[in-house]
Amino acid sequence: MDKRLLDILVCPVTKAPLIYQKKNQELICKASRLAYPIREGIPVMLPEQARKLTLEEVEQIK
């Protein structure tokens, strides 16, 4: 994930910053508890395409 792109992307729901999770190829928003997928190198920033995170998953994110 390009650092410059990550710096300008925000959660479309909360406008909070995103955390890149390389292992799952996702962009994580702690505020909305959503994980946006990255498909073929392109972030899919649609809330309806995002995976809902459990509270435990959110607490484990650094």
Side-chain angles (χ1 to χ4, degrees), residues 3-60:
K3 171 86 169 102
R4 292 173 293 170
L5 180 60
L6 187 57
D7 287 343
I8 61 171
L9 285 177
V10 295
C11 175
V13 175
T14 63
K15 308 300 184 239
L18 299 167
I19 300 166
Y20 174 54
Q21 194 172 55
K22 186 175 183 177
K23 177 184 167 189
N24 295 333
Q25 287 295 294
E26 294 176 323
L27 293 174
I28 306 293
C29 177
K30 286 183 166 185
S32 64
R33 290 177 44 187
L34 292 174
Y36 297 94
I38 299 172
R39 297 188 184 126
E40 297 180 22
I42 300 170
V44 180
M45 302 303 296
L46 301 170
E48 58 272 7
Q49 294 288 317
R51 178 173 68 85
K52 292 184 173 130
L53 299 171
T54 65
L55 186 56
E56 293 80 25
E57 285 179 296
V58 173
E59 289 173 351
Q60 292 176 0

